[in-house]
Amino acid sequence: MPKTEVFNKEIVLNQASHVFHTKGYNAASMQDLVDATGLNRSSIYNSFGNKHNLFLECLKVYQNKYQRSISNLLLKANCPLKAIESIFELYLEEIVKDNDNKGCLITNCKSEMANQDSTINNFLINNQESTLALFEDLVNQGQENSSINRNRTPKDYALYLFTAIQGFRMTGILIDNKQQLQSLINTTLQNLK
């Protein structure tokens, strides 16, 4: 008879995410995960297979959280430029609230593990491609309604915005001054006007 899970998977993934977010993948031990989740090693292995699979599930949960937040922002935005600004401001608020200066789990993963593991690398590439597609679509809409200039192609501006977001998230690990970070957002968006 197969064993059934007797724990809340969402809670366990949040607890494991906190460990990975704080320590990174390589520094997080199985004992850290056992201590954080309250599960024994065999429960973790039976439910997730291994540390790698658990980490990948944590990345997906983290990604889904931000995709839902961004979708909500897009529904409220009255123009594409404002939608882009709202995305940056979402991350600004996250940086300001991040008392432990952990940064973004996905950005941290990219700096720690990109090109080291094909499964993780594919996740990062897919995440990047979906973000680039979102920005390209917003820029295209903004250029059509003249809220964004036509000095560069939507694809060029999408890559610029993606790179700016990545840098913004990394900068936010060491600088959490809201005014300084808001100035970075303003400078970034000024290039689109």
Side-chain angles (χ1 to χ4, degrees):
M1 176 183 246
K3 293 184 177 182
T4 58
E5 293 178 0
V6 292
F7 59 86
N8 184 315
K9 189 173 182 179
E10 183 179 345
I11 291 172
V12 167
L13 287 171
N14 285 332
Q15 292 163 329
S17 289
H18 182 73
V19 172
F20 290 127
H21 207 161
T22 303
K23 293 190 164 210
Y25 175 77
N26 292 311
S29 69
M30 279 305 288
Q31 189 58 50
D32 293 328
L33 295 166
V34 166
D35 293 343
T37 63
L39 299 177
N40 60 40
R41 287 172 195 259
S42 64
S43 292
I44 292 174
Y45 286 119
N46 289 335
S47 299
F48 301 101
N50 55 34
K51 175 180 148 182
H52 180 274
N53 291 345
L54 175 58
F55 181 60
L56 195 55
E57 284 208 43
C58 290
L59 287 173
K60 290 175 183 173
V61 167
Y62 190 86
Q63 178 189 50
N64 289 336
K65 171 188 159 189
Y66 279 98
Q67 285 176 339
R68 282 191 306 274
S69 295
I70 289 170
S71 292
N72 288 335
L73 291 174
L74 296 178
L75 291 173
K76 296 175 187 174
N78 58 2
C79 80
L81 186 60
K82 182 61 181 164
I84 293 168
E85 182 179 3
S86 295
I87 293 169
F88 275 89
E89 288 176 353
L90 168 71
Y91 293 126
L92 171 63
E93 292 307 315
E94 288 294 316
I95 290 168
V96 171
K97 289 191 300 189
D98 182 11
N99 295 326
D100 299 326
N101 299 319
K102 296 183 304 285
C104 169
L105 181 62
I106 293 174
T107 303
N108 295 349
C109 174
K110 184 183 284 189
S111 66
E112 180 183 12
M113 299 186 69
N115 301 319
Q116 290 183 13
D117 176 277
S118 62
T119 306
I120 298 294
N121 203 50
N122 286 337
F123 170 84
L124 293 169
I125 288 169
N126 290 335
N127 183 70
Q128 178 173 305
E129 287 175 355
S130 70
T131 305
L132 285 168
L134 170 67
F135 280 137
E136 188 173 348
D137 185 51
L138 288 170
V139 170
N140 189 48
Q141 291 175 40
Q143 287 179 334
E144 286 177 4
N145 76 10
S146 299
S147 63
I148 296 175
N149 69 54
R150 294 180 181 268
N151 296 344
R152 299 279 185 265
T153 67
K155 191 176 207 103
D156 288 342
Y157 273 142
L159 186 58
Y160 164 72
L161 290 166
F162 179 77
T163 303
I165 285 278
Q166 297 293 297
F168 187 71
R169 295 304 304 258
M170 291 300 288
T171 300
I173 293 172
L174 298 177
I175 297 174
D176 63 358
N177 180 290
K178 191 168 185 174
Q179 288 74 32
Q180 287 179 317
L181 294 171
Q182 185 64 56
S183 178
L184 283 174
I185 293 172
N186 296 343
T187 302
T188 299
L189 297 179
Q190 190 62 40
N191 289 314
L192 301 179
K193 296 178 182 176

